[in-house]
Structure formats: C-alpha cells, structure tokens
C-alpha cells in the first residue's frame, strides 16, 4: 500500500489530482456541520447578489438562495450520485464479465450479445430513454447512468477473465475440488480487481458529468434539491445578465472532473504492473557500456576471449555485481564448460558477450570480449548485429519462450537465414529443411510446417540448435540447453552437439550446472561462483582432482554409479547476494577451510599447474596425473 502511494506521488499531476479531490471530498463530507445558510430558503428581495457581498460569499441565485451553500450541497449530491453510479456499474459489469468469461461457450455468447445490444445505442440517448421510462428524479438518473456504463465494464472484465480462466492455476484449483464460486472469488477476482479499479478510475469523472448532464436537462435532481447539473440548468436563463450563477457550479464541475481524471491516470500507472516495472520502456539494442579502467589487450590465439569482464545491474541505488571480472577463452573447435550454481552469473556472462544484457538495468563496467582479436564490448551496433547469430550464435534454455508461437518453425529458420544472407525464399526454405535434418528431426519436410506448440520439448530444443546453426557460426553459446529436458533427450542433444562440433569445427561455450554434462561434452571447464571464475582447467583433471574447495564440494554432491552407499554432502549456507559481496573470497563464509586471510583483499586466479588455474590461497594439492 505504501509502495502504491509512493508510485502515485511520483506522478506530480496525479498528486495534484489527489490533493484537490481530497479537499473536495472533505468539504462535501463536512458540509452538514458547516455554518451555512439553508440552501433551499428563497428570498426574492436578495436575488442575484454579486459574489463577495455581505452574508453571501458567492452571491445568490434567481430566487435569492445562498450560492455557496447550494454549491457545497450540490457538490455533495453530484459526487454521491456519480460515485455510486460508478460503483454500481463496476460491480454489475464486473460480475457479468466474470461470469461470461469464466463459463464461456453459450453463456458467454448469450450475455455478450445482450451487452452488445446495450452498446448499440448511443450512450446519452440510452440514458435519456431509461429516465423517460422511469420518470425524472435523481435516483432514476443514477440508475440510467449506471446502466449505460455496465457494458463497458462487462466487456473489459470479460476479456481479462477469459485470459485468466484458462491458466494452469485455475485448473489446479478445479482439480483440488474447489467449486466455481470459490474459484471465482479466490482465484479470478483478485486478478481482475486491478483492472476494475483502473476502469473505474477512468470512468468516474465521466459518470459525474453524465449525471450533471441529465440534471441539467431537468431529468435528474428535482427542485428545490439541486446538484451541480441542475444548478447550471437553472442558471442558464440568467447566463448573460448574471454569469456568476453559472460560473460557480461550472467551475466546480471542471475542478472535480479534472482532478478525478488526473488521479485516475496516476492510479492506472501505479496499478498496471507493466507500467510499474518499466517493461514498456524498451531495452536498448545493445547493453550499455561504461568502462572505467583501461581496456585489456587481445593477447593470444583464442577465437573468443573474455578479459576481466564486469557486468552489473544498477537498480535504483543498488548495484548488483552479477559478473565481477571473468577471464575465459575458447579456441576454434574447442568446447568450454561453464559451470556453477544457479545465480552465479553464467547467463549474464554469456549475454554480455554480444551485448544482449537488457539495459537498463544492465551495464558493462569493465573488461573486454575479443572475438578474432576485435573487442566486441562497445562495438558499433551495426557490427554487433552482423555478428549476432551469424558468427556467434546462442541456444537458450527454454525454446518455447524464444520461438515465435505464430510462425511455423520452417519460416522462422528461413527468416534467420535471410536476415544475414541475400538468398531467395525458396532457397532459404530448402536450407531450413536441411538444418532440421542435420539436427536429426525425423520427417523434416513436414516438420518445417509445424508450429512450436506442435513439437515436443526435445524437438523444440533441436529447432533452437538448428536456428543457432543456421548461419554456420564460429561460436555457439549454449545456455543450459538441456536443463528442461529428460535424460534420454538430453543425451541425444549432447551427442548431437558433439557431432556438429566435430563436423563443423564449432567452438562451443556450454553453460550448465551439471557435472555429468560437462564430463560428456567439454574439453575444458571453468567453475563460476558469485560472478567470478574460481577454477579452470582441462575437464578430466578438474573432475578427478578439483583444487578449489567450492569445486571439490560441488563434485562431492554428484552421485556416482557403482560407488556403493555414500552420503552426498550438500554445501551448507547460500551463495552471497551479488549486491553485498564479502571482502576476499566470496566462498569463505561457506568454506570449512577458511582462514582470516581468506576474508581480506583480492585473491587472484593463480596458475596451479601448466594448464590449470585456481582462485584460492590454500587449494587442495593436485596429484601429478591431474595436473593436465
Ligand atoms: P545463472 O548463473 O543462474 O545463469 P544469472 O547470470 O542469470 O545466473 O544471474 C546472475 C546474478 O545476476 C543473479 O544474482 C541475479 O540475481 C542477478 N540478476 C540477473 N538479472 C538481473 C536484473 N535484471 N536485475 C538485477 N539483478 C539481476
Ligand atoms: Mg542462467
């Protein structure tokens, strides 16, 4: 709730609306106890007094009634009727919409056609017709205004409900034995309330105006009682001679409607989760780069080399150091495994390479990524675009989220090809089918016409791999491509990647949290913890004799076949939060070998043998045969 008001207050105009509306509301509430003249007592000897005369601050009207008093009482009435109409329309409209959306089918059809019929009449004409049928009077005006607004709410809420009623959590509620009413009240309603409030905030002002309009025509409040509309109506004949009698209620209507609408805009902005999270602000085309230190030089023969890469997330005043100086290199045809717990910064490292980390909030604050000797960090967007997918391609974890649901996979593959190559549609299509064959999708010609939802998880992942291969890249970065798959499919995908690597000489960066996968596929492995590499070297050597305590503990968590009974030692504690990293070694708080020296200063990634490096002041000794 406090967050809601904080958000509301950020919108200056909404704050003004809130304050004005608050003042008007308070005035309307305390009107009965204010020392005001009776609003209905006429005194024709005092008619048409100018404002600011003795005893009548805002003057008097054509019957000598005190305008200030009538204004406040009228405001009270107008607000009450307008808000009541909004609440009634919202409640009935939402109820109709929820029922139609929830039950669907024939119920939906019957209800919505009825609503459409109401909507087919012009708005104000319908209200007039209702009042004509019921007879003039404020209560009937209220009913008319509420009735003409019900379709608006019903349509809106039905649309939202249809989307929610087919979600899994509703199915789950149904399976758990909940009745329809309970599902509607506990599962659906909480999800549509923000929409109802938003719709209300945008229509209250409109309904106050409509009520005033009906009263102005003499169909609403009846004399001597007056609301703002009927005050305007009565003053109309004296508009030229005594304009103040019209100006006073007119200005009040203007103030109220303006304030309500400004406030409504603010409420909508604060309640709509998409507006709130800033998701509507599109991320930049490439990650923001703000490097402070010197840019590291390209050094060796590696195809892709990360040097001291630092990526942070700047969220308000907090800084999340997701990647804190990562060094990695991959040679042509090599497969490098990047392994670490969830949240250790593997994905952010991978995305930083091609500037794919969303900015805001992502910022690359240091280091370099050399591809064939050229630095990709801060490269021009056109250059990055040429490389993306063409030379360095990604395979992501969840292909359902990365494939477009409305295009067939063949079309999507063809698009990936025509993006980078000037080939005809037919040729791209033929290549797409070949790609599907090369990732061992059976019956590729037919499958190219399938949509993503028609494929199994394993097949979708193969399509993801095919898409990564589409332009014959030099490097493939695979971010946990098999985590969502079962072990048999996983094994197939891994052997497929391995074959492709040997056939095409691909370099692969394979991100995973699974040592089994690393053992199967990778030549070298880098272990990541809290945004830094803690150990790196040839896969066999590290798997057989890990030197960093963290790598050793991770390995101890992996069960092995034929080893007999053994207790699997979980690592106690949790990884540190990356916005609050400890000094020294980030693993020290969980390490049973930690010494005071571990908790101060920078600990370097030092060579522990010719080909191995470890970031620890007291690593496990490496036996001769595991030196690499
Ligand atoms: P993983 O190793 O599981 O792939 P990630 O690279 O996705 O981990 O995340 C690394 C760290 O960066 C995590 O601690 C995560 O909380 C943080 N992080 C990722 N995205 C954001 C973001 N948009 N804002 C703030 N922190 C983020
Ligand atoms: Mg990840």
């Amino acid at each position: 709730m406090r967050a809601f008001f904080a958000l509301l207050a950020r919108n200056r105009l909404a704050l003004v609306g809130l304050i004005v509306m608050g003042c008007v509301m308070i005035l309307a509430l305390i009107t009965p106890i204010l020392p005001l003249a009776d609003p209905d007592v006429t005194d024709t000897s005092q008619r048409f007094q100018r404002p600011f005369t003795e005893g009548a601050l805002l003057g008097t009207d054509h019957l000598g009634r005190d305008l200030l008093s009538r204004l406040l009482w009228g405001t009270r009435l107008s607000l009450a009727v307008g808000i009541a109409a909004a609440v009634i329309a919202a409640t009935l409209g939402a109820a109709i919409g929820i029922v139609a959306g929830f039950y669907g089918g024939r119920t939906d059809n019957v209800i919505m056609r009825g609503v459409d019929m109401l909507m087919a009449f012009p708005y104000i004409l319908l209200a007039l017709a209702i009042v004509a049928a019921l007879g003039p009077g404020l209560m009937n005006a209220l009913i008319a205004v509420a009735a003409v607004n019900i379709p608006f709410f019903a349509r809106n809420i039905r649309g939202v409900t249809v989307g929610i009623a087919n979600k899994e959590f509703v199915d789950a509620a149904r399976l758990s034995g909940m009745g329809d009413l309970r599902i509607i009240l506990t599962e659906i309603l909480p999800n549509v309330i923000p929409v109802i409030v938003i719709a209300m905030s945008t229509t209250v002002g409109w309904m106050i105006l409509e009520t005033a309009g009906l009263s102005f025509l003499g169909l609403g409040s009846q004399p001597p009682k007056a609301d703002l509309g009927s005050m305007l109506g009565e003053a109309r004949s004296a508009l030229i001679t005594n304009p103040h009698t019209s100006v006073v209620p007119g200005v009040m209507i203007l103030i109220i409607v303006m304030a309500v609408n400004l406030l409504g805009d603010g409420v909508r902005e604060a309640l709509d989760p998409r507006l709130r999270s800033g998701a509507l602000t599109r991320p930049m085309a490439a990650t923001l780069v703000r490097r402070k230190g010197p840019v590291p030089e390209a050094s060796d023969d590696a195809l892709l080399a990360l040097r001291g890469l630092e990526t942070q997330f700047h969220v308000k005043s907090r800084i999340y150091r997701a990647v804190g100086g990562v060094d990695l290199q991959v040679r042509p045809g090599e497969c490098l495994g990047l392994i670490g717990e969830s949240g250790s910064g593997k994905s952010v490292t991978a995305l930083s390479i091609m500037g794919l980390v969303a900015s805001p909030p992502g910022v690359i604050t240091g280091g370099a990524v050399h591809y064939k000797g050229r630095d990709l960090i801060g490269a021009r967007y056109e250059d990055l675009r040429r490389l993306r997918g063409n030379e360095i391609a990604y395979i992501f974890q969840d292909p359902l989220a990365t494939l477009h649901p409305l295009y067939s996979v063949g079309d999507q593959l063809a698009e990936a090809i025509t993006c980078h190559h000037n080939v005809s549609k037919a040729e791209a299509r033929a290549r797409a089918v070949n790609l599907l064959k090369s990732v061992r999708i059976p019956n590729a010609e037919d499958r190219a016409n399938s949509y993503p939802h028609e494929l199994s998880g394993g097949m979708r992942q193969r399509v993801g791999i095919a898409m990564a291969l589409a332009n014959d890249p030099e490097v493939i970065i695979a971010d946990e491509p098999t985590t969502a798959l079962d072990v048999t499919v996983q094994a197939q995908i891994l052997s497929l990647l391995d074959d492709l690597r040997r056939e095409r000489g691909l370099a692969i960066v394979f991100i995973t949290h699974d040592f089994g996968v690393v053992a199967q596929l990778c030549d070298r492995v880098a272990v990541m913890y809290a945004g830094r590499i803690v150990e790196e070297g040839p896969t066999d050597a590290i798997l057989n004799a890990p030197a960093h305590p963290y790598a050793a503990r991770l390995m101890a968590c992996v069960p092995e076949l034929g080893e007999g009974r053994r207790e699997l030692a979980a690592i106690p504690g949790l990884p540190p939060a990356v916005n609050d990293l400890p000094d020294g070694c980030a693993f020290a708080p969980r390490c049973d070998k930690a010494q005071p020296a571990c908790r101060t200063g920078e600990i370097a990634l030092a060579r522990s043998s010719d080909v191995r490096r470890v970031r620890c002041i007291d690593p496990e000794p490496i036996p001769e045969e595991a030196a690499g």
Side-chain angles (χ1 to χ4, degrees), residues 442-527:
N443 211 352
E445 282 87 358
D446 286 345
R447 278 311 183 184
N449 295 321
S450 302
Y451 292 89
H453 71 269
E454 296 172 331
L455 303 175
S456 70
M459 281 205 227
R460 280 199 290 263
Q461 194 52 280
R462 282 163 205 246
V463 173
I465 295 174
M467 196 168 282
L469 293 173
N471 295 298
D472 240 325
E474 309 272 323
V475 183
I476 283 194
I477 299 170
D479 190 352
E480 310 210 32
T482 58
T483 307
L485 305 176
D486 60 75
V487 274
T488 37
V489 181
Q490 170 171 326
Q492 291 168 9
I493 299 270
L494 291 182
S495 75
L496 171 67
L497 275 175
D498 206 35
D499 292 348
L500 289 171
R501 163 164 83 105
R502 291 183 208 290
E503 281 165 25
R504 305 189 180 206
L506 276 173
I508 299 181
V509 178
F510 198 95
I511 298 173
T512 179
H513 57 250
D514 185 342
F515 270 110
V517 172
V518 170
Q520 208 175 331
L521 190 65
C522 301
D523 308 311
R524 275 188 313 122
V525 61
V527 182

Side-chain angles (χ1 to χ4, degrees), residues 534-558:
V534 293
E535 177 156 22
E536 198 221 314
T539 307
D540 288 343
I542 292 201
L543 289 189
N544 289 330
H548 194 282
Y550 174 65
R553 298 296 293 265
L554 261 191
M555 225 81 77
C557 297
V558 183

Side-chain angles (χ1 to χ4, degrees), residues 255-331:
I255 289 176
I256 291 178
V257 174
M258 286 269 287
V260 168
N261 286 346
L262 289 178
L263 181 61
D265 282 349
V267 169
R268 191 169 46 215
E269 207 163 289
L271 273 184
D272 192 327
R274 280 177 313 164
L275 295 172
R276 189 169 46 196
S277 68
L280 293 187
T281 56
R282 294 212 321 182
M284 291 155 60
T287 311
L288 189 68
V289 177
R290 279 222 199 90
R291 287 190 284 201
K292 298 197 188 74
V295 176
E297 295 284 307
S299 54
D300 50 21
D301 56 340
L303 180 61
L304 180 71
L306 279 60
R307 297 250 167 279
L309 180 69
E310 280 177 29
T311 306
Q312 308 180 339
F313 292 98
H314 294 184
V315 183
K316 295 203 188 112
S317 60
R318 291 188 301 273
I319 294 181
Y320 296 88
R321 291 171 222 283
V323 178
V326 163
D327 295 275
L328 286 176
Q329 50 272 320
V330 203
R331 277 179 286 279

